[in-house]
Amino acid sequence: MRILVINGPNLNMLGIREPDIYGKATYDDLVEHVKQAAERLRVSVDFYQSNHEGDLVDRIQQAYGVYDGIVINPAAYTHTSVALLDAVKSVGIPTVEVHISDVREREDFRQVSYIRLGCIGTVMGKGFDGYVEALEMLIRTAGGKAETCGEACESPAPCEEKCESPAPCEEADR
Ligand code: DQA
């Protein structure tokens, strides 16, 4: 299973920007965190970050026919961009919206999310772990657990620990 992780404007400034809200870890730390989780979950991940709305639209369009899922933190474009909503709807790839902070607890203008209308789920306020939760959501939606571990396995993530036989998990190519 191939998943594209997209981050919008100013997320390249993680570690520097408003550390009281977003923490002290950097964008590279975020990539590393998600890569390690993806390895454990046996999915392949690619990353893209841009500060430009049109570039984000281009990247979503290029994902068509290539990726099975998208994890996107559109950052400020969450609250303004119909173009990003239209892009995820255009490609029809299951997409999960992620926010590091809990936007529900923040300013009124952050209460609107256009992209949410095109997403299968939203994770917010869980820091970098929200991206991992989004991966798990995509795997579940794709039927990952049934494909790899059989009916008995409840969760795609720790399937090695839960399955009676580790064989199907080891062979799995999500
Ligand atoms: C954010 C929340 C947005 O409101 C904000 O504009 C961001 C980051 C988050 O990850 O919490 O840039 O998406």
Side-chain angles (χ1 to χ4, degrees):
M1 184 171 183
R2 291 196 70 185
I3 297 175
L4 178 62
V5 181
I6 299 178
N7 280 286
N10 301 305
L11 290 168
N12 56 319
M13 295 295 281
L14 285 172
I16 297 168
R17 76 180 286 210
E18 302 178 272
D20 45 320
I21 297 174
Y22 300 110
K24 288 187 181 148
T26 65
Y27 177 74
D28 286 347
D29 294 333
L30 168 64
V31 168
E32 199 44 48
H33 186 77
V34 179
K35 266 189 189 164
Q36 280 183 17
E39 216 166 283
R40 183 169 51 78
L41 294 166
R42 298 170 197 280
V43 292
S44 105
V45 275
D46 291 320
F47 295 86
Y48 181 73
Q49 190 279 327
S50 174
N51 295 326
H52 306 280
E53 188 175 13
D55 290 344
L56 293 164
V57 170
D58 286 346
R59 193 67 190 90
I60 292 166
Q61 289 184 4
Q62 287 157 9
Y64 181 72
V66 179
Y67 291 94
D68 309 299
I70 295 174
V71 173
I72 186 164
N73 182 346
Y77 291 137
T78 307
H79 319 299
T80 61
S81 179
V82 177
L84 287 181
L85 167 64
D86 287 348
V88 296
K89 281 182 150 182
S90 299
V91 295
I93 300 170
T95 298
V96 178
E97 173 194 14
V98 174
H99 300 286
I100 295 168
S101 67
D102 190 345
V103 288
R104 287 168 300 197
E105 310 272 296
R106 300 183 64 191
E107 301 93 329
D108 285 351
F109 64 84
R110 293 186 207 273
Q111 303 313 313
V112 173
S113 169
Y114 288 98
I115 202 152
R116 196 162 303 161
L117 299 170
C119 290
I120 61 162
T122 299
V123 186
M124 56 179 104
K126 299 198 171 166
F128 291 180
D129 284 340
Y131 291 77
V132 178
E133 221 173 276
L135 292 183
E136 290 170 347
M137 213 180 269
L138 289 169
I139 293 166
R140 272 199 303 276
T141 302
K145 66 176 177 183
E147 261 170 43
T148 56
C149 301
E151 301 296 310
C153 190
E154 288 290 304
S155 153
C159 58
E160 297 92 333
E161 292 148 36
K162 287 199 172 187
C163 282
E164 293 292 337
S165 152
C169 297
E170 277 157 16
E171 283 159 21
D173 177 23
R174 283 188 178 128

